[in-house]
Structure formats: C-alpha cells, structure tokens
Amino acid sequence: MHTRRTHRRTRRTRSGRIRTGATLLAAALLVTACSAGGASTSAGSAAAEVAGSTEAAKASLAALPRATPSELAPYYGQRLSWRDCGVPGFQCATMKAPLDYTKPTEGDVRLAVARKKATGPGKRLGSLLVNPGGPGGSAVGYLQQYAGIGYPKEVRARYDMVAVDPRGVARSEPVECLDGREMDAYTQTDVTPDDEGESGELVDAYKEFAEGCGADAPKLLRHVSTVEAARDMDILRAVLGDEKLTYVGASYGTFLGATYAGLFPDRAGRLVLDGAMDPSLPARRLNLEQTAGFETAFQSFAKDCVRQPDCPLGGKGTTPAQVGKNLKAFFDDLDAEPIPAGDADGRELTESLATTGVIAAMYDEGAWQQLRESLTSAMKENDGAGLLVLSDSYYERDADGGYSNLMFANAAVNCLDLPAAFSSPDEVRDALPEFEKASPVFGEGLAWSSLNCAYWPVAPTGEPHRIEAAGATPIVVVGTTRDPATPYRWAEALAGQLSSGRLLTYEGDGHTAYGRGSTCIDSAINTYLLRGTAPQDGKRCS
C-alpha cells in the first residue's frame, strides 16, 4: 500500500498500468480496506460510529535505554561498502542487523540500502531516510524511482537521500509464499462467500498462503516486526554518521517512523509522518475504520463520476448511495459469472479482481478517469481488461505472471504486529453488520479479508499501544481529510499521542499529501526539513 511514483502518488508504467503508492495496511485478498457509498449512512457518521465502537489501547511504547548494548556494537560500528546500483546517480550497499535483537550473536539479516548523495549547493544536512509504506513496499525502489529524483530539488540538494528495504521486503531477504500461478488463484478467491462451502474455500486459501510463507522462511518470519525494522533504522542512522534520524514515511511508513521515535526519542530528528496510522487500534477496529475511510473516498469518486458524461454508474443527479448500489449490483453479477478480460493466462475478471481494481483507483483522484473507462468497458462491453490491469498493478503482478513479494511481506509484518482481527468464520459472520454499515458495497468482502491472520504460522509479538515519544523534537503528522487508506482520524490520534506531535491537515482527496500538488503542504514540510521549523499545530491546507 505501490512503491513507485512520480511527482504524484500514481504513475503509468510502460504497459499503461497505474501503480499506486505503497499503502497497504491490512494483509488480505483485498489487500487494504476499502468501501463505497451506500444506504443512508454518510461517510462522516459512519466514521464517527466506528471511532466510538471500541476503546483504544492505553499502554504506551517504552523507550529503549540510551546506551547501545555492547553486544550490538559490531552492528553499530560496521562500515558500508558502497557500489554502483546500475541506476545512474545511486549507490547501493548491504547492511547487517541481528536477526533476533534478544539474541544478537545468533545470526544476521542482510538489508539492502541505497543512497543518492546530496547534489548541492548549500551545506549538507545529513541523510534523509524515506519509506513508502506497505508494509512490504520497497523503499529502495521508491528512492530510485521517485524520492531520489522527484523530491523537491532544494531538499535533494542538502540531504543524502537514503532508503533501506525493511527485513523480509524486496531486496532484504524477501519472504516468499506462493508462485505466480498459485498467487493468481489466491487473488481470484471469492471473499464474499455465499455458503459454508465457499467460506471453507476461503479458509483453505488463507491456510495455503500461510503455509507457503512458513515453509519459505520459518526463522525470518518470527523477526519481521515493525519494532525490529525500527531498530534496524537506528543502526543505519549510526552507520551513516548521523546523530539524529531525519525521515519521511508514508502510510505504514508513519507507523514505522513513530515506532522509531517511541524507541529512540532522543535520536528522533526531523520526522514527517504522512498519511498517519493510529498504533493504539486493534486489528479489527483498524480494518473497520479503514473501511469507513474508503467509504469517504468512494463518495467523493461517486459525486465526481455522475458529473462526467462517461460515468457508467449513474447520470447527473444520481446520489452516491445509488452509485454504490449500482456498483454492488455489478459485483454481484461478476460473482455469479465472471467476464472475459483478454488475459494471456486465461484469467477472467472475477468479483474479487474487480473489487481490487476499484480499490487501486481510490488512492489518487488522478486515476478516476481510468476507473470510469474500465468500468464502462466491463459493464457495457463485457470487457474486463481495464479493471484487471488496475488489479494487477495493485498486486504488483508483471506481464509474465510473476508477483513482487509485496503481498507476502505485507501479511508477514501485519500478522506479527497485531493479534488477528478474527479467529474464525463465525466471528466474521457476527461482525458483518457493522462492516456492511461502514461500507454497503465493500464491507462484506473486507470483513472476510480480515480473517487471514487467523491461520498465520507464527504467533503475533505485538499489541496495540500508544506512542508518546516523550522528549522528541517536534514531529510533523500529516493527515488528508478524505484519505481512503489511512482515515484522517488516525492522523489526529497519532498527533495527539505524540508528546511533540504537530498536526498538518490537507483538505482534499487521495492518500497522503506531500508531493501531490499542494503548495501549502509542500512548503510547510520543506521548511521543516531544511530549517527545522515545524508548522504550527493544527495548520490546514487545501
């Protein structure tokens, strides 16, 4: 939740597909929570009802001792051997970290690091570490394809732009679970089961996925938590020669950055947390609130769609609720009978793939036109190719039928960080009314998608917790009011938890705000990164 972007959060690849920022949060067949307009519940009231449904965690993440333990000294004292990356202007290296921080002498994990040195002019300010989110997004890929060339030139002039793929991700000993054909079958699994037989098939798919991950990396799978990844970042900070960490993280990257601040508040420098997560929420509530967030995004899309001459979901004056009903009817038709998609591997457009295609377009309003065109082709011409392209881009499936490890790492981190949202199909059935209330179109599928961690081969090591980071310098938390994947309320919550949090609000659509066209947002963040002056808490931009 993906890692590739240009100046905006999405771009078209050579094949014409849209790639969205790495913004996955809930590991599932549908990948992230999503929703659409429907019934009489407004997005705002749905979010309010969800926000009051469960009490958040009271415990706070404890800081680690300031002194570095002697057994970690070899890691903190290592020297990186930089080499050419094969990408002009970038260098790469491999960093070692302990596989298990409680037993640092019993094995290493090797992490891929990349950098682009400060271009000048002006005095170098140190290193700026970036992470695009996920979990599972390649930070190295993000650096090479966007941040290292697309961040404001004044920022790139003063900072060495740096990224590390977190453990288990991309180039850093990636977790692998299924091959391409197995993954194709997995992504087509019905996540709106109509009976016991179909729910059993869904459970079997989750089990097969989990077993594949467990067989591939039984030791690593126990050590891909966000806390461990944050500790890896502190080793990198020291190896790079920086006294404090300067960091920009998006989506899940905000959880990673906030965790760093909570563990090392005295070493937290200028941190930007864009599209913030709320670490105090249990998995079930996280998924439910994200469902309400996509409801907000879908209603924005629906209102825009009916104003366009090519909207296949309704004409001028059609309400967002009716647009949602029309989309749900289309999904129901696909559930009964998939349609051709012109796929070389023989895949048809199923309900699950179509849903993922719609989700992909919700991340950036720049994709709404492509979504309208794809829906028109599918609904009026019986051609599912466009929605399949969107779905494949979201899953990072290439033209040869191979997948990146994004989905595998996403599940591995999420299922380790928090106890499962549900432990059985019966629990999902009991929760269906509240999920469907939050999203009449997508709620059912998102509830069932939240079951995947129930079958994970490794027990979770994390719990919901607050992050206060007492003693840290000002930390900028950015929230977008109609963000689909990280609801605005989460930014408010994280900024409120952090003792030095400064909330910066973008009133608009799409996921995250920095580098997406708001001069107000970009100016505030650039000033903070370059001068250390944080925006006033509560500053709003549009």
Side-chain angles (χ1 to χ4, degrees):
M1 267 128 84
H2 299 312
T3 61
R4 307 8 168 189
R5 73 179 205 180
T6 57
H7 187 63
R8 297 184 60 79
R9 176 62 57 180
T10 61
R11 74 174 178 91
R12 291 183 185 273
T13 64
R14 287 189 296 272
S15 62
R17 301 186 303 174
I18 270 193
R19 290 256 176 141
T20 53
T23 51
L24 312 181
L25 296 176
L29 289 184
L30 294 186
V31 190
T32 60
C34 65
S35 70
S40 59
T41 304
S42 70
S45 61
E49 290 166 2
V50 170
S53 62
T54 309
E55 191 170 343
K58 296 291 194 301
S60 182
L61 180 66
L64 292 172
R66 292 192 178 189
T68 301
S70 58
E71 58 267 31
L72 294 180
Y75 296 102
Y76 275 82
Q78 67 186 295
R79 299 189 64 168
L80 298 183
S81 177
W82 294 100
R83 61 188 184 278
D84 181 72
C85 282
V87 180
F90 292 87
Q91 297 175 307
C92 290
T94 300
M95 186 185 84
K96 292 182 179 180
L99 176 65
D100 184 348
Y101 276 92
T102 67
K103 301 174 182 177
T105 61
E106 296 188 6
D108 301 332
V109 60
R110 299 171 66 85
L111 306 176
V113 182
R115 76 176 178 186
K116 185 177 184 183
K117 300 190 76 172
T119 57
K123 181 180 178 181
R124 178 182 174 277
L125 295 175
S127 303
L128 172 56
L129 190 65
V130 296
N131 183 282
S138 172
V140 171
Y142 173 74
L143 176 73
Q144 294 175 344
Q145 298 180 38
Y146 171 67
I149 56 177
Y151 264 38
K153 62 181 180 179
E154 57 268 36
V155 173
R156 291 182 285 116
R158 306 287 298 281
Y159 283 101
D160 290 347
M161 301 294 295
V162 180
V164 56
D165 279 346
R167 48 179 64 204
V169 173
R171 300 163 179 83
S172 294
E173 301 192 17
V175 173
E176 301 289 344
C177 304
L178 303 176
D179 64 26
R181 289 193 176 276
E182 292 169 336
M183 195 63 184
D184 278 347
Y186 181 74
T187 61
Q188 295 174 73
T189 305
D190 187 355
V191 291
T192 57
D194 299 320
D195 52 40
E196 291 284 347
E198 289 188 352
S199 63
E201 290 174 1
L202 180 58
V203 168
D204 288 343
Y206 288 144
K207 288 180 177 179
E208 180 182 354
F209 184 96
E211 289 167 2
C213 296
D216 174 73
K219 291 184 179 179
L220 179 63
L221 216 59
R222 292 174 169 80
H223 298 289
V224 293
S225 70
T226 298
V227 166
E228 289 162 313
R231 298 191 68 171
D232 295 341
M233 292 200 310
D234 194 56
I235 293 177
L236 179 58
R237 172 204 58 79
V239 170
L240 293 172
D242 294 324
E243 290 187 8
K244 292 193 174 187
L245 180 76
T246 303
Y247 174 84
V248 176
S251 197
Y252 162 79
T254 67
F255 181 33
L256 182 59
T259 299
Y260 180 90
L263 295 173
F264 307 103
D266 58 310
R267 301 173 194 169
R270 302 170 188 179
L271 305 186
V272 177
L273 309 180
D274 185 12
M277 290 183 63
D278 180 356
S280 72
L281 300 180
R284 175 171 165 171
R285 182 172 166 191
L286 195 76
N287 292 348
L288 185 60
E289 291 200 6
Q290 202 177 48
T291 299
F294 271 89
E295 173 79 6
T296 301
F298 182 84
Q299 289 199 10
S300 287
F301 165 76
K303 291 174 183 177
D304 178 79
C305 187
V306 299
R307 290 196 294 264
Q308 310 301 325
D310 62 343
C311 180
L313 297 171
K316 187 175 181 180
T318 306
T319 66
Q322 186 59 52
V323 170
K325 290 178 180 178
N326 294 341
L327 182 60
K328 180 65 167 63
F330 169 60
F331 287 159
D332 290 343
D333 289 342
L334 290 176
D335 189 28
E337 185 176 359
I339 64 174
D343 180 57
D345 295 313
R347 294 176 301 156
E348 294 182 307
L349 183 71
T350 62
E351 179 191 20
S352 56
L353 292 173
T355 301
T356 304
V358 174
I359 291 169
M362 289 298 101
Y363 280 84
D364 191 308
E365 63 274 26
W368 288 357
Q369 178 180 346
Q370 183 178 356
L371 177 58
R372 292 196 311 271
E373 294 170 354
S374 298
L375 285 169
T376 297
S377 295
M379 297 174 72
K380 297 185 177 181
E381 301 168 14
N382 208 45
D383 179 4
L387 284 173
L388 186 62
V389 162
L390 284 167
S391 178
D392 284 350
S393 296
Y394 200 73
Y395 281 120
E396 293 199 347
R397 183 189 192 272
D398 62 33
D400 296 325
Y403 290 77
S404 77
N405 100 304
L406 175 62
M407 296 300 128
F408 312 138
N410 182 259
V413 175
N414 281 330
C415 295
L416 198 61
D417 274 351
L418 288 175
F422 301 110
S423 62
S424 70
D426 285 342
E427 287 190 3
V428 176
R429 294 186 185 97
D430 289 342
L432 284 177
E434 60 182 344
F435 273 80
E436 291 178 320
K437 185 174 184 179
S439 172
V441 177
F442 298 112
E444 180 186 6
L446 293 171
W448 283 104
S449 296
S450 304
L451 180 62
N452 69 317
C453 286
Y455 309 102
W456 202 243
V458 175
T461 57
E463 293 282 352
H465 55 267
R466 294 170 53 83
I467 298 179
E468 298 175 0
T473 56
I475 297 172
V476 177
V477 179
V478 188
T480 298
T481 54
R482 294 185 294 277
D483 191 314
T486 52
Y488 178 68
R489 195 202 69 78
W490 292 357
E492 293 179 305
L494 180 59
Q497 292 170 35
L498 292 167
S499 62
S500 59
R502 302 282 183 90
L503 179 62
L504 175 62
T505 298
Y506 174 57
E507 297 176 348
D509 296 294
H511 184 47
T512 73
Y514 187 43
R516 297 193 67 247
S518 169
T519 301
C520 175
I521 290 289
D522 292 354
S523 176
I525 293 175
N526 293 343
T527 297
Y528 174 61
L529 291 175
L530 295 171
R531 302 178 188 171
T533 304
Q536 182 178 359
D537 186 34
K539 179 178 176 64
R540 302 182 76 89
C541 297
S542 58

